[in-house]
Amino acid sequence: MALHLDNTTQQNVNQWLSGAYDAETKSQIQQLIDQEDQVTLTDSFYKSLEFGTGGMRGEMGVGCNRMNRYTVGAATQGFANYLLTVLGNQKIKVAIAHDSRNNSPEFCRIAADIFTANGIEVYLFPALRPTPQLSFAVRHLGCHAGIVITASHNPKEYNGYKAYWSDGSQVVAPHDKNIVSEVNAILSVDDIKFQGNDALLHLLDDQIDQEYLKTIQANCRQPEVIQRQKDLKIVFSPIHGTGITLVPRALALLGFTSVHVVQEQAEPNGNFPTVIYPNPEEKEAMTLALDKAKALDADLVIATDPDADRVGAAVKSPSGEWQLLNGNQMASLILYYLLKVDKKLGRLTGKEFVAKTIVTTDLIDKMCAQQGVPCYNTLTGFKYIAQVIRELEGKEKFIGGGEESYGYLIGDAVRDKDAVASCAMIAELTAYAKDQGKSLFDFLAEMYIENNFYYEGLISLTKKGKAGAEEIKQMMINLRSNVPASVAGSKPVKVLDYEGLQSTDLTTGQVSPIIEGRGIEASNVIQLILADGSKVSARPSGTEPKIKFYVSVNAPLASAADFDATFTALQAKVKTIQEDLGLK
C-alpha cells in the first residue's frame, strides 16, 4: 500500500524532514513513512497544534499537531515575542512549573531556555508542583507571566501548556488573542531560540513552598476545631500527580494527624498505572481511595488530579456506603461553611463577595443572598472568576468560589482553581461537622434542608465531524428561535442569551441587556429559566465536538430521612427535561 497524503499533510512532513529538526525526530517520521502508517502521519501533520486563548493541549509525539519540543518551542517563542513587544525594555520575569506527566520536565526546561535566550528572567520550579502554586508564584515573585506544563486530567498520551499573566490568572483579553497571533507568526523552527542563558535562570527552593502554604494556613477559620478533631481520619490520593508534594504538608500544617495516603497512587508517574483516566470526577479513579477508606472507617476521602487544581471527595452515607460528591455539591458545601462561620466570627462586613460560573449551582446564589453577600456569575472558566477578583481588588474581599467541574478557590492568594487549598478547607469543614457530632453527609443534608435540595445533571452530546458541527449549530439556533411552551410541566419565564448579551422576560416580552464585564462577555451560551426555578444551560464546547446541557432542579428537603427519595425524584425530573427537549 502506497501512502496517499493530502497536500497540506505532505508539505508539513516534507518541511519537518528537510528543516532544522533533530535527527531522532526525522528518524521517527521516516519510520512512520516506511511503515506506511498513514493514519498516524495524517493525524500528526494535517494541521498545526492550535495554541488557543488558554494555551494548548494534545497528544505527545512527532509532528506539528503533537506536543513536542518544537511545538512547545514555537508557543514559548511566540509568548516571549509578545512579552518583549508589550513590555519593551523592562526587566521581564516569568515563572515556570510542570506536573507529573511524561516529558513535562523536558518541556519545562525547553521553555525556560527559550525565555532566557530572549533575555527574559526565569524562575523555575526544579521539580513537579501543583498548578495553583505556579499562579501564586507569579504574583508573589512579581513576574509578568507564567506557564505550567500540564494536560490536567487528560489521558496519559497527552500533555499541554497553560499561559498565565501577571495577576496569576490564565491570560484573558486582549492578551490571549494577541499571544495566539504571535505564536501563529512562528512559521519556521529557525525562528525559535533554543540556546538558553543560564545566567538568567533562577531555581526556586522550599521557601516558595512555605510562602504558599502560609496562605493556606491563613484561610483556616477555626484552628481550635481542628485541634479538637485533629485525629479526623482522612484518606488522600494524588492519583500519581503533583498533589503529593503539598497536600499532606498543608493538612499537617493545619494540625491533622491522621492523614492516610493511598500508597499505590502516591508515586508521581506520567503513565498513571492504576487508573484509566487520572480524573477524580471518575469513580474508577477513586476506587483505591474508597477501598482504603472502608478498611480504615475513615471520615473523608479526597483525591486530586495530576496538576492538583481539581479535587474530588467522597462521604459516608447513613447506610455506611461511600458516595462521591459532585462539583456542585462540594462548591456549595465549602461556601455554606465559609458563609456560616464568617458570619459567626463577624467577618462579614458588607465588603465581601463570592464568584462562580453561570453553569454552577444556583444554591450558592441563594445562600449568598441570605447573608447579604454579592455572588458574581461569570462565563465558564476560572480565568473569568480571576478577572472579577482583579477588578474588585482593594474594594471588595473575595471569600471563595468555584465551578461545577470540581474546581474551587478560597481567598485570593491564588487566581486559579486550587486543590491544595480546597483539600485543606474540605478537611476543616469535615472537622467542624464532626465537632458537632455530624458526618459530612449530615452537613450536606443540613444545607439542603435549610436551602432546598439542588441537583444538577450534565448531558454531554458528542457530534463529530462537519455534520456534527452543523447539528450543534442548528440545536443552538432552534433553542434561540423556538423556546418550548413547557418543559417538564413548567413554563419557561426567561431566556438569557450570552451571544447577544440580552435577557428576555417571556411573561412581559421585555428585553434587557446582560452587562458585559466582571467575567461576562459575548459567548455562545443560552439559559432557559423555568417558572418552578429549574434552569437549563446550553453551551457548545470550544475544544471538543460536543454540546453540553447543564440542567438544574431543586425541591424542598423536609429531613435527612427523605434524602434518597428526594434525590431520586430530582434525578427523574432531570431525565424528563432531557426527554422534553429531545436531548439525545
Side-chain angles (χ1 to χ4, degrees):
M1 181 187 93
L3 284 170
H4 297 287
L5 303 176
D6 65 77
N7 288 339
T8 300
T9 302
Q10 189 64 62
Q11 286 172 8
N12 287 335
V13 169
N14 293 344
Q15 183 183 4
W16 277 58
L17 284 172
S18 61
Y21 297 86
D22 65 273
E24 176 61 24
T25 293
K26 291 182 179 181
S27 172
Q28 290 179 38
I29 297 169
Q30 190 59 52
Q31 192 174 358
L32 292 172
I33 294 170
D34 294 342
Q35 293 170 347
E36 297 184 346
D37 190 345
Q38 183 154 327
V39 172
T40 303
L41 273 170
T42 299
D43 198 44
S44 300
F45 286 96
Y46 83 99
K47 67 181 179 72
S48 292
L49 187 64
E50 184 180 355
F51 189 95
T53 55
M56 64 183 182
R57 191 177 296 182
E59 291 187 43
M60 291 176 277
V62 296
C64 50
N65 191 36
R66 291 285 188 265
M67 282 289 294
N68 51 61
R69 74 186 313 265
Y70 300 105
T71 52
V72 168
T76 308
Q77 186 63 57
F79 198 178
N81 289 348
Y82 182 68
L83 289 169
L84 292 164
T85 300
V86 171
L87 301 173
N89 296 322
Q90 291 185 52
K91 185 179 176 183
I92 304 172
K93 300 193 294 185
V94 171
I96 305 179
H98 70 82
D99 70 3
S100 62
R101 288 179 178 272
N102 297 328
N103 297 314
S104 282
E106 292 83 357
F107 292 160
C108 191
R109 187 57 198 250
I110 288 164
D113 285 344
I114 292 169
F115 279 125
T116 60
N118 284 274
I120 294 171
E121 288 201 60
V122 168
Y123 291 82
L124 179 67
F125 284 93
L128 74 167
R129 283 295 183 274
T131 287
Q133 193 180 7
L134 182 278
S135 172
F136 169 79
V138 168
R139 295 177 68 243
H140 183 74
L141 299 169
C143 292
H144 299 89
I147 64 167
V148 58
I149 302 296
T150 180
S152 191
H153 53 273
N154 274 54
K156 64 183 180 181
E157 295 82 10
Y158 285 75
N159 214 320
Y161 186 113
K162 291 182 183 177
Y164 291 77
W165 202 244
S166 57
D167 66 336
S169 162
Q170 288 193 57
V171 290
V172 293
H175 305 301
D176 50 5
K177 291 182 173 60
N178 292 341
I179 293 168
V180 171
S181 297
E182 288 286 356
V183 173
N184 291 340
I186 307 296
L187 301 178
S188 167
V189 67
D190 300 317
D191 296 335
I192 304 169
K193 299 177 181 177
F194 282 106
Q195 195 62 46
N197 176 4
D198 285 351
L200 295 176
L201 183 68
H202 310 282
L203 294 180
L204 295 167
D205 57 23
D206 188 63
Q207 185 63 35
I208 194 74
D209 293 344
Q210 293 179 38
E211 295 297 330
Y212 170 60
L213 288 168
K214 279 180 191 173
T215 68
I216 292 173
Q217 189 173 27
N219 288 334
C220 180
R221 298 307 203 262
Q222 300 186 100
E224 70 284 356
V225 169
I226 294 174
Q227 188 56 39
R228 288 195 294 270
Q229 301 296 336
K230 63 184 179 182
D231 59 352
L232 185 84
K233 282 187 189 172
I234 302 168
V235 170
F236 167 65
S237 174
I239 315 183
H240 304 290
T242 61
I244 193 64
T245 62
L246 289 174
V247 172
R249 285 180 68 180
L251 293 172
L253 187 64
L254 264 62
F256 291 104
T257 59
S258 189
V259 178
H260 304 267
V261 176
V262 178
Q263 290 305 319
E264 301 95 321
Q265 298 177 325
E267 188 74 27
N269 188 328
N271 291 319
F272 309 113
T274 64
V275 296
I276 299 170
Y277 298 108
N279 184 356
E281 296 179 51
E282 303 284 344
K283 187 173 184 179
E284 179 268 337
M286 302 282 282
T287 300
L288 289 172
L290 291 170
D291 288 346
K292 193 175 187 75
K294 290 170 190 171
L296 291 169
D297 191 26
D299 298 292
L300 173 67
V301 172
I302 43 178
T304 52
D305 69 343
D307 69 325
D309 63 353
R310 286 178 168 88
V311 56
V315 300
K316 193 162 52 177
S317 71
S319 66
E321 291 297 310
W322 282 89
Q323 290 184 206
L324 298 179
L325 295 180
N326 64 37
N328 282 303
Q329 289 173 317
M330 185 47 74
S332 300
L333 274 174
I334 290 171
L335 270 303
Y336 178 60
Y337 173 72
L338 289 173
L339 290 166
K340 180 186 285 278
V341 173
D342 281 0
K343 182 177 182 181
K344 184 180 81 172
L345 297 176
R347 293 173 64 127
L348 298 183
T349 66
K351 298 268 181 147
E352 293 74 31
F353 72 97
V354 164
K356 69 176 188 66
T357 66
I358 57 175
V359 296
T360 301
T361 180
D362 290 341
L363 172 57
I364 294 173
D365 300 80
K366 183 174 183 179
M367 293 188 298
C368 286
Q370 288 173 351
Q371 303 297 348
V373 174
C375 180
Y376 298 106
N377 283 269
T378 76
L379 293 180
T380 304
F382 235 86
K383 64 182 181 180
Y384 294 111
I385 292 176
Q387 189 177 13
V388 175
I389 298 171
R390 182 173 63 251
E391 288 179 12
L392 295 175
E393 199 162 13
K395 301 175 216 169
E396 296 181 32
K397 185 174 177 59
F398 178 66
I399 296 173
E403 58 185 8
E404 45 72 42
S405 55
Y406 291 64
Y408 325 111
L409 179 61
I410 297 97
D412 64 358
V414 168
R415 302 297 169 88
D416 204 353
K417 301 182 287 288
D418 188 345
V420 185
S422 298
C423 282
M425 187 54 67
I426 293 165
E428 180 181 339
L429 68 88
T430 306
Y432 172 76
K434 191 169 186 180
D435 203 49
Q436 297 183 319
K438 300 173 184 174
S439 68
L440 191 53
F441 183 91
D442 295 331
F443 200 50
L444 180 72
E446 175 189 297
M447 176 179 71
Y448 287 150
I449 291 166
E450 287 182 20
N451 300 284
N452 273 17
F453 194 141
Y454 279 72
Y455 171 68
E456 287 76 26
L458 173 62
I459 301 149
S460 184
L461 305 179
T462 299
K463 307 285 184 179
K464 292 185 177 179
K466 185 179 179 184
E470 288 297 321
E471 190 177 350
I472 288 172
K473 185 178 177 183
Q474 190 59 47
M475 289 175 86
M476 295 299 284
I477 289 171
N478 291 344
L479 269 174
R480 286 188 167 95
S481 58
N482 301 307
V483 177
S486 177
V487 180
S490 185
K491 184 179 178 183
V493 293
K494 186 184 284 188
V495 176
L496 299 168
D497 188 342
Y498 288 86
E499 188 169 67
L501 288 175
Q502 63 181 32
S503 170
T504 304
D505 186 325
L506 297 176
T507 56
T508 65
Q510 184 178 353
V511 178
S512 54
I514 297 172
I515 306 301
E516 195 167 5
R518 288 197 182 152
I520 295 295
E521 60 190 25
S523 183
N524 190 16
V525 181
I526 304 170
Q527 293 185 311
L528 298 182
I529 313 298
L530 308 184
D532 67 359
S534 301
K535 182 166 77 172
V536 180
S537 306
R539 183 178 76 89
S541 172
T543 56
E544 299 174 289
K546 291 180 178 180
I547 181 169
K548 295 181 178 181
F549 292 85
Y550 306 80
V551 180
S552 176
V553 295
N554 70 89
L557 181 65
S559 70
D562 299 320
F563 190 98
D564 288 345
T566 306
F567 183 39
T568 301
L570 290 172
Q571 284 181 306
K573 187 169 184 179
V574 168
K575 190 171 183 184
T576 302
I577 290 173
Q578 180 179 1
E579 291 168 352
D580 283 5
L581 292 175
L583 304 180
K584 57 185 179 180

